[in-house]
Amino acid sequence: MSGSSSSSTWPVHEYRVVPWTTPPDVRGSDGRRPNVKERMLTEITVEVPPRIADVEVQLTPALASQCREVEDAIARLDARYGDVLTGLTAFLVRSESVASSRIEQVHADLDDIARASVAHEATQEARMTVAAAGAMDILVRGQEPGGEFSPEIALTAHHRLQQTDRWNHSHAGRYRDMQNWIGGSDVSPRNAVHVPPPPDEVEPLMADLAAFLNRDDVPPLAQAALAHAQFEAIHPFVDGNGRIGRGLIAVALRRRRVATQVVVPVAAAMLADVDRYFDTLTAYRRGDAAAMVSYLTRAAAHATTEAAVSAQRLSAMPQQWREQARPRAGSGAALLIDELTAHPVLDATAAQGLIDRSAPRTYEALERLTECGVLRETTGAARDRVWVAVDVMDEIEDLDERIGARSLPPKHWR
C-alpha cells in the first residue's frame, strides 16, 4: 500500500447492475413526486465492497512510522488523564458527538443539548445529538479492551441513536432491508454519488468487517481507518451510518488497547473540511486505502494534541472555581464544584444526588455558583431549570475550533 493517494494493492469495489423500480406514489422530503426520468429508471449500479477480513495491509515505512507515533501519543493521553480525570471521557464523548452530528447537518446549540440531556424540552436537533452521545457511549463501553468485536455492539448503539427519531425509529437497531444511496434525490438513486450494496449483502459484509476488526496484525490506527471507511461503504443502516461509523474508530482503538479510557475527537477534524473527508472515503472505494489511513492519522494527531490541552484545562477548573466562588469547606457549593467536570449539565435533582444535601441546601449551592459565574442556568424558567458549567461547555466549543484550525489546509491551498 502506498503512502500517498495513488493506487494501491487494496481491492476495489465491484460495480453491479441490479433492477430498480421507483414507486410512482413515493414522495421526497420536500413533498415532490418522482419526475419522468426517475419513474423510467429500471436499473441502477451498486458498489459492493470487497471482503477484507484476510486482506494484507501494507503500509510504507513512513506511514507505518506515523501511525506508531500517533498511537503512542494517544496512549500517553489515555494513561496520563484517563484514570485520574473522571470527566475527560464524558467530555470527549460529548465533544465527538456534537462534531459528528454536525457533519450530518444536525446543528444544535450547546445549551439546547444540555436541556435535552436531562429530558427537558428541546429541539429535535438537540435530542438527536444527545442520542448520538448515548450511542457513542454504548460503543465505547460495549467494547472490552482486548476483547472480540461483535456487530451486536453497533446494532445496540444504532438502536440508541435512532429509537426516538421521528422518521426512522422503526429501523432502529437493525440492518436495512431496502436499498439506500447517498446524494441524488430522496425518491431514487438517479445521480447518486454512492449507491451501497443491496440489502442482502449487508449482514455478510458486516460479519467480514467484524473479522477484520478482530485482527491483531494490523497497526491499530490503520485498522480503525479502514474499518471506518469499509463501514461507510457498506452503509448498513437506513440512517445514522456516519455517526455509528465514526464511533467505530473509538471502538477499534479501545479493542487494541491504544485508548481504553478516552475518545479521540477526530470528528472535529473531519468537520473542519468535510469535502476532504468525503473525498477520502470515495478514494477508499476506488482502492486507495492508504489515503484513508494517512487522513485519519493526521486527524488523530491534531485531535490528540488538542485533547491533551483540554485535559489540562479541565484538571485546573475545580481549583479555579473554588477561587472564584470561595465556598465554605464541606458546603453544598464546595461539594458540587468537585463534581462539575464529570457532570457539567445538571438539574436540581441530579445536583442533589451528587452532593447528598436537602433540596433547599442544593438550591443554595446552585444559586451561589450561578451568581459567581461558575454555572449558568439555561432555561430562564422558574421551574424545571437546567444548569451548565460555563467553562466546560466553552471548552467543548474551543476544542472543536482548535482541532479545526489545525486540520484545515493553508489558505493558499483552499
PDB file of all heavy atoms in Angstrom, residues 1 15 40 48 86 109 183 189 204 211 234 244 279 301 306 326 342 350 352 364 369 371 375 401 406 413:
ATOM      1  N   MET A   1       0.849  -1.190   0.000  1.00  0.00           N
ATOM      2  CA  MET A   1       0.000   0.000   0.000  1.00  0.00           C
ATOM      3  C   MET A   1       0.880   1.234   0.000  1.00  0.00           C
ATOM      4  O   MET A   1       1.767   1.354   0.804  1.00  0.00           O
ATOM      5  CB  MET A   1      -0.903   0.000   1.233  1.00  0.00           C
ATOM      6  CG  MET A   1      -1.852   1.169   1.293  1.00  0.00           C
ATOM      7  SD  MET A   1      -2.822   1.138   2.816  1.00  0.00           S
ATOM      8  CE  MET A   1      -3.657  -0.434   2.612  1.00  0.00           C
ATOM      9  N   TYR A  15     -18.642  -3.163  -9.170  1.00  0.00           N
ATOM     10  CA  TYR A  15     -19.836  -2.469  -9.668  1.00  0.00           C
ATOM     11  C   TYR A  15     -20.798  -3.509 -10.215  1.00  0.00           C
ATOM     12  O   TYR A  15     -20.422  -4.348 -11.040  1.00  0.00           O
ATOM     13  CB  TYR A  15     -19.461  -1.459 -10.750  1.00  0.00           C
ATOM     14  CG  TYR A  15     -18.692  -0.276 -10.220  1.00  0.00           C
ATOM     15  CD1 TYR A  15     -17.299  -0.307 -10.153  1.00  0.00           C
ATOM     16  CD2 TYR A  15     -19.350   0.859  -9.767  1.00  0.00           C
ATOM     17  CE1 TYR A  15     -16.586   0.763  -9.641  1.00  0.00           C
ATOM     18  CE2 TYR A  15     -18.639   1.938  -9.257  1.00  0.00           C
ATOM     19  CZ  TYR A  15     -17.256   1.885  -9.200  1.00  0.00           C
ATOM     20  OH  TYR A  15     -16.548   2.943  -8.695  1.00  0.00           O
ATOM     21  N   MET A  40     -38.890   6.269 -15.018  1.00  0.00           N
ATOM     22  CA  MET A  40     -38.461   5.376 -16.093  1.00  0.00           C
ATOM     23  C   MET A  40     -37.213   4.569 -15.732  1.00  0.00           C
ATOM     24  O   MET A  40     -36.795   3.695 -16.490  1.00  0.00           O
ATOM     25  CB  MET A  40     -38.192   6.191 -17.363  1.00  0.00           C
ATOM     26  CG  MET A  40     -39.445   6.830 -17.951  1.00  0.00           C
ATOM     27  SD  MET A  40     -39.073   7.819 -19.419  1.00  0.00           S
ATOM     28  CE  MET A  40     -38.439   6.564 -20.535  1.00  0.00           C
ATOM     29  N   VAL A  48     -20.358  -2.792  -4.467  1.00  0.00           N
ATOM     30  CA  VAL A  48     -20.251  -3.849  -3.468  1.00  0.00           C
ATOM     31  C   VAL A  48     -18.813  -3.880  -2.946  1.00  0.00           C
ATOM     32  O   VAL A  48     -17.879  -4.165  -3.700  1.00  0.00           O
ATOM     33  CB  VAL A  48     -20.634  -5.217  -4.063  1.00  0.00           C
ATOM     34  CG1 VAL A  48     -20.534  -6.309  -2.992  1.00  0.00           C
ATOM     35  CG2 VAL A  48     -22.033  -5.167  -4.654  1.00  0.00           C
ATOM     36  N   THR A  86     -11.820  12.051  35.862  1.00  0.00           N
ATOM     37  CA  THR A  86     -13.042  11.288  35.582  1.00  0.00           C
ATOM     38  C   THR A  86     -13.937  11.958  34.551  1.00  0.00           C
ATOM     39  O   THR A  86     -14.695  11.290  33.865  1.00  0.00           O
ATOM     40  CB  THR A  86     -13.844  11.085  36.883  1.00  0.00           C
ATOM     41  OG1 THR A  86     -14.117  12.367  37.471  1.00  0.00           O
ATOM     42  CG2 THR A  86     -13.067  10.234  37.868  1.00  0.00           C
ATOM     43  N   ASP A 109     -27.503  24.111  19.478  1.00  0.00           N
ATOM     44  CA  ASP A 109     -26.821  24.929  20.464  1.00  0.00           C
ATOM     45  C   ASP A 109     -26.480  24.087  21.686  1.00  0.00           C
ATOM     46  O   ASP A 109     -27.258  23.213  22.090  1.00  0.00           O
ATOM     47  CB  ASP A 109     -27.762  26.082  20.843  1.00  0.00           C
ATOM     48  CG  ASP A 109     -27.201  26.959  21.931  1.00  0.00           C
ATOM     49  OD1 ASP A 109     -26.451  27.893  21.606  1.00  0.00           O
ATOM     50  OD2 ASP A 109     -27.505  26.692  23.108  1.00  0.00           O
ATOM     51  N   GLY A 183     -26.637  11.116  -1.872  1.00  0.00           N
ATOM     52  CA  GLY A 183     -26.765  12.080  -2.944  1.00  0.00           C
ATOM     53  C   GLY A 183     -27.969  11.775  -3.815  1.00  0.00           C
ATOM     54  O   GLY A 183     -28.808  10.936  -3.483  1.00  0.00           O
ATOM     55  N   PRO A 189     -32.152   6.582  -6.692  1.00  0.00           N
ATOM     56  CA  PRO A 189     -30.693   6.728  -6.713  1.00  0.00           C
ATOM     57  C   PRO A 189     -30.142   7.411  -7.962  1.00  0.00           C
ATOM     58  O   PRO A 189     -28.931   7.429  -8.156  1.00  0.00           O
ATOM     59  CB  PRO A 189     -30.191   5.274  -6.638  1.00  0.00           C
ATOM     60  CG  PRO A 189     -31.389   4.434  -6.384  1.00  0.00           C
ATOM     61  CD  PRO A 189     -32.558   5.186  -6.887  1.00  0.00           C
ATOM     62  N   PRO A 204     -23.571 -10.306   5.658  1.00  0.00           N
ATOM     63  CA  PRO A 204     -22.265 -10.959   5.450  1.00  0.00           C
ATOM     64  C   PRO A 204     -21.105  -9.978   5.385  1.00  0.00           C
ATOM     65  O   PRO A 204     -20.001 -10.282   5.855  1.00  0.00           O
ATOM     66  CB  PRO A 204     -22.444 -11.725   4.142  1.00  0.00           C
ATOM     67  CG  PRO A 204     -23.663 -11.193   3.485  1.00  0.00           C
ATOM     68  CD  PRO A 204     -24.525 -10.676   4.592  1.00  0.00           C
ATOM     69  N   ALA A 211     -14.642  -9.529  11.426  1.00  0.00           N
ATOM     70  CA  ALA A 211     -13.437 -10.367  11.391  1.00  0.00           C
ATOM     71  C   ALA A 211     -12.193  -9.515  11.174  1.00  0.00           C
ATOM     72  O   ALA A 211     -11.140  -9.762  11.774  1.00  0.00           O
ATOM     73  CB  ALA A 211     -13.570 -11.421  10.301  1.00  0.00           C
ATOM     74  N   ILE A 234     -20.316   0.099   3.193  1.00  0.00           N
ATOM     75  CA  ILE A 234     -21.431  -0.852   3.359  1.00  0.00           C
ATOM     76  C   ILE A 234     -22.727  -0.105   3.623  1.00  0.00           C
ATOM     77  O   ILE A 234     -23.787  -0.478   3.132  1.00  0.00           O
ATOM     78  CB  ILE A 234     -21.143  -1.829   4.519  1.00  0.00           C
ATOM     79  CG1 ILE A 234     -19.889  -2.645   4.233  1.00  0.00           C
ATOM     80  CG2 ILE A 234     -22.332  -2.766   4.752  1.00  0.00           C
ATOM     81  CD1 ILE A 234     -19.373  -3.430   5.445  1.00  0.00           C
ATOM     82  N   ILE A 244     -22.486   6.262  13.598  1.00  0.00           N
ATOM     83  CA  ILE A 244     -22.042   4.960  14.106  1.00  0.00           C
ATOM     84  C   ILE A 244     -20.678   4.607  13.520  1.00  0.00           C
ATOM     85  O   ILE A 244     -19.788   4.105  14.221  1.00  0.00           O
ATOM     86  CB  ILE A 244     -23.064   3.860  13.776  1.00  0.00           C
ATOM     87  CG1 ILE A 244     -24.415   4.159  14.441  1.00  0.00           C
ATOM     88  CG2 ILE A 244     -22.544   2.498  14.230  1.00  0.00           C
ATOM     89  CD1 ILE A 244     -24.374   4.205  15.948  1.00  0.00           C
ATOM     90  N   ASP A 279     -14.142  13.055   0.184  1.00  0.00           N
ATOM     91  CA  ASP A 279     -13.286  12.678  -0.943  1.00  0.00           C
ATOM     92  C   ASP A 279     -12.382  11.494  -0.573  1.00  0.00           C
ATOM     93  O   ASP A 279     -12.110  10.619  -1.413  1.00  0.00           O
ATOM     94  CB  ASP A 279     -12.415  13.863  -1.379  1.00  0.00           C
ATOM     95  CG  ASP A 279     -13.207  14.927  -2.123  1.00  0.00           C
ATOM     96  OD1 ASP A 279     -14.358  14.650  -2.521  1.00  0.00           O
ATOM     97  OD2 ASP A 279     -12.680  16.050  -2.282  1.00  0.00           O
ATOM     98  N   ALA A 301      -3.780  12.861  15.084  1.00  0.00           N
ATOM     99  CA  ALA A 301      -2.650  13.604  15.665  1.00  0.00           C
ATOM    100  C   ALA A 301      -3.111  14.975  16.147  1.00  0.00           C
ATOM    101  O   ALA A 301      -2.806  15.391  17.273  1.00  0.00           O
ATOM    102  CB  ALA A 301      -1.538  13.739  14.630  1.00  0.00           C
ATOM    103  N   GLU A 306      -4.779  18.489  20.837  1.00  0.00           N
ATOM    104  CA  GLU A 306      -5.697  19.458  21.430  1.00  0.00           C
ATOM    105  C   GLU A 306      -6.510  18.849  22.570  1.00  0.00           C
ATOM    106  O   GLU A 306      -6.899  19.564  23.502  1.00  0.00           O
ATOM    107  CB  GLU A 306      -6.613  20.038  20.347  1.00  0.00           C
ATOM    108  CG  GLU A 306      -5.888  20.862  19.294  1.00  0.00           C
ATOM    109  CD  GLU A 306      -5.084  22.017  19.894  1.00  0.00           C
ATOM    110  OE1 GLU A 306      -5.403  22.452  21.016  1.00  0.00           O
ATOM    111  OE2 GLU A 306      -4.131  22.481  19.242  1.00  0.00           O
ATOM    112  N   ARG A 326     -15.263  30.805  46.318  1.00  0.00           N
ATOM    113  CA  ARG A 326     -14.855  30.809  47.724  1.00  0.00           C
ATOM    114  C   ARG A 326     -15.910  30.165  48.624  1.00  0.00           C
ATOM    115  O   ARG A 326     -16.391  30.793  49.597  1.00  0.00           O
ATOM    116  CB  ARG A 326     -14.558  32.237  48.187  1.00  0.00           C
ATOM    117  CG  ARG A 326     -13.410  32.885  47.435  1.00  0.00           C
ATOM    118  CD  ARG A 326     -12.996  34.207  48.038  1.00  0.00           C
ATOM    119  NE  ARG A 326     -11.878  34.801  47.311  1.00  0.00           N
ATOM    120  CZ  ARG A 326     -10.606  34.459  47.466  1.00  0.00           C
ATOM    121  NH1 ARG A 326     -10.288  33.506  48.324  1.00  0.00           N
ATOM    122  NH2 ARG A 326      -9.655  35.052  46.765  1.00  0.00           N
ATOM    123  N   ALA A 342     -17.094  16.163  35.747  1.00  0.00           N
ATOM    124  CA  ALA A 342     -17.712  14.900  35.332  1.00  0.00           C
ATOM    125  C   ALA A 342     -19.190  15.071  35.014  1.00  0.00           C
ATOM    126  O   ALA A 342     -19.753  14.303  34.229  1.00  0.00           O
ATOM    127  CB  ALA A 342     -17.547  13.843  36.416  1.00  0.00           C
ATOM    128  N   ALA A 350     -30.477  16.064  39.917  1.00  0.00           N
ATOM    129  CA  ALA A 350     -29.134  15.498  39.722  1.00  0.00           C
ATOM    130  C   ALA A 350     -28.138  16.105  40.696  1.00  0.00           C
ATOM    131  O   ALA A 350     -27.301  15.404  41.274  1.00  0.00           O
ATOM    132  CB  ALA A 350     -28.680  15.719  38.283  1.00  0.00           C
ATOM    133  N   GLN A 352     -28.730  17.363  43.638  1.00  0.00           N
ATOM    134  CA  GLN A 352     -28.996  16.866  44.982  1.00  0.00           C
ATOM    135  C   GLN A 352     -28.431  15.467  45.174  1.00  0.00           C
ATOM    136  O   GLN A 352     -27.870  15.136  46.223  1.00  0.00           O
ATOM    137  CB  GLN A 352     -30.500  16.869  45.252  1.00  0.00           C
ATOM    138  CG  GLN A 352     -30.862  16.518  46.698  1.00  0.00           C
ATOM    139  CD  GLN A 352     -32.353  16.654  46.972  1.00  0.00           C
ATOM    140  OE1 GLN A 352     -33.126  16.991  46.077  1.00  0.00           O
ATOM    141  NE2 GLN A 352     -32.753  16.408  48.211  1.00  0.00           N
ATOM    142  N   GLU A 364     -29.414  26.367  47.247  1.00  0.00           N
ATOM    143  CA  GLU A 364     -28.462  27.388  47.700  1.00  0.00           C
ATOM    144  C   GLU A 364     -27.125  27.238  46.988  1.00  0.00           C
ATOM    145  O   GLU A 364     -26.510  28.226  46.568  1.00  0.00           O
ATOM    146  CB  GLU A 364     -28.253  27.271  49.213  1.00  0.00           C
ATOM    147  CG  GLU A 364     -29.402  27.795  50.053  1.00  0.00           C
ATOM    148  CD  GLU A 364     -29.119  27.634  51.541  1.00  0.00           C
ATOM    149  OE1 GLU A 364     -27.962  27.280  51.889  1.00  0.00           O
ATOM    150  OE2 GLU A 364     -30.036  27.865  52.340  1.00  0.00           O
ATOM    151  N   LEU A 369     -23.238  29.215  42.985  1.00  0.00           N
ATOM    152  CA  LEU A 369     -22.324  29.008  41.854  1.00  0.00           C
ATOM    153  C   LEU A 369     -22.790  29.735  40.600  1.00  0.00           C
ATOM    154  O   LEU A 369     -21.984  30.088  39.738  1.00  0.00           O
ATOM    155  CB  LEU A 369     -22.162  27.513  41.586  1.00  0.00           C
ATOM    156  CG  LEU A 369     -21.502  26.709  42.717  1.00  0.00           C
ATOM    157  CD1 LEU A 369     -21.359  25.245  42.327  1.00  0.00           C
ATOM    158  CD2 LEU A 369     -20.137  27.292  43.081  1.00  0.00           C
ATOM    159  N   GLU A 371     -24.413  32.732  40.740  1.00  0.00           N
ATOM    160  CA  GLU A 371     -24.118  34.147  40.998  1.00  0.00           C
ATOM    161  C   GLU A 371     -22.658  34.498  40.706  1.00  0.00           C
ATOM    162  O   GLU A 371     -22.362  35.599  40.233  1.00  0.00           O
ATOM    163  CB  GLU A 371     -24.440  34.480  42.459  1.00  0.00           C
ATOM    164  CG  GLU A 371     -25.930  34.523  42.756  1.00  0.00           C
ATOM    165  CD  GLU A 371     -26.208  34.664  44.246  1.00  0.00           C
ATOM    166  OE1 GLU A 371     -25.215  34.766  45.016  1.00  0.00           O
ATOM    167  OE2 GLU A 371     -27.386  34.669  44.624  1.00  0.00           O
ATOM    168  N   LEU A 375     -21.655  28.447  37.196  1.00  0.00           N
ATOM    169  CA  LEU A 375     -22.770  27.803  36.486  1.00  0.00           C
ATOM    170  C   LEU A 375     -23.562  28.852  35.717  1.00  0.00           C
ATOM    171  O   LEU A 375     -23.538  30.046  36.044  1.00  0.00           O
ATOM    172  CB  LEU A 375     -23.699  27.101  37.476  1.00  0.00           C
ATOM    173  CG  LEU A 375     -23.159  25.919  38.264  1.00  0.00           C
ATOM    174  CD1 LEU A 375     -24.224  25.379  39.204  1.00  0.00           C
ATOM    175  CD2 LEU A 375     -22.669  24.812  37.323  1.00  0.00           C
ATOM    176  N   GLU A 401     -12.880  24.097  17.741  1.00  0.00           N
ATOM    177  CA  GLU A 401     -12.275  25.164  16.931  1.00  0.00           C
ATOM    178  C   GLU A 401     -10.771  24.958  16.776  1.00  0.00           C
ATOM    179  O   GLU A 401     -10.217  25.167  15.690  1.00  0.00           O
ATOM    180  CB  GLU A 401     -12.566  26.525  17.568  1.00  0.00           C
ATOM    181  CG  GLU A 401     -14.027  26.938  17.468  1.00  0.00           C
ATOM    182  CD  GLU A 401     -14.302  28.254  18.173  1.00  0.00           C
ATOM    183  OE1 GLU A 401     -13.321  28.874  18.650  1.00  0.00           O
ATOM    184  OE2 GLU A 401     -15.476  28.661  18.248  1.00  0.00           O
ATOM    185  N   ARG A 406      -6.247  23.407  13.202  1.00  0.00           N
ATOM    186  CA  ARG A 406      -5.078  22.586  12.896  1.00  0.00           C
ATOM    187  C   ARG A 406      -5.286  21.758  11.631  1.00  0.00           C
ATOM    188  O   ARG A 406      -4.342  21.457  10.910  1.00  0.00           O
ATOM    189  CB  ARG A 406      -4.785  21.631  14.061  1.00  0.00           C
ATOM    190  CG  ARG A 406      -4.019  22.236  15.210  1.00  0.00           C
ATOM    191  CD  ARG A 406      -3.786  21.205  16.293  1.00  0.00           C
ATOM    192  NE  ARG A 406      -2.827  21.657  17.286  1.00  0.00           N
ATOM    193  CZ  ARG A 406      -1.524  21.463  17.219  1.00  0.00           C
ATOM    194  NH1 ARG A 406      -1.011  20.832  16.177  1.00  0.00           N
ATOM    195  NH2 ARG A 406      -0.720  21.900  18.165  1.00  0.00           N
ATOM    196  N   TRP A 413      -3.920  26.938  -0.216  1.00  0.00           N
ATOM    197  CA  TRP A 413      -4.352  25.656  -0.793  1.00  0.00           C
ATOM    198  C   TRP A 413      -5.861  25.581  -0.956  1.00  0.00           C
ATOM    199  O   TRP A 413      -6.375  24.677  -1.578  1.00  0.00           O
ATOM    200  CB  TRP A 413      -3.903  24.504   0.120  1.00  0.00           C
ATOM    201  CG  TRP A 413      -2.452  24.230   0.051  1.00  0.00           C
ATOM    202  CD1 TRP A 413      -1.500  24.904  -0.648  1.00  0.00           C
ATOM    203  CD2 TRP A 413      -1.751  23.179   0.733  1.00  0.00           C
ATOM    204  NE1 TRP A 413      -0.264  24.367  -0.450  1.00  0.00           N
ATOM    205  CE2 TRP A 413      -0.389  23.299   0.391  1.00  0.00           C
ATOM    206  CE3 TRP A 413      -2.145  22.164   1.594  1.00  0.00           C
ATOM    207  CZ2 TRP A 413       0.582  22.434   0.884  1.00  0.00           C
ATOM    208  CZ3 TRP A 413      -1.186  21.304   2.090  1.00  0.00           C
ATOM    209  CH2 TRP A 413       0.156  21.438   1.733  1.00  0.00           C
TER     210      TRP A 413
END
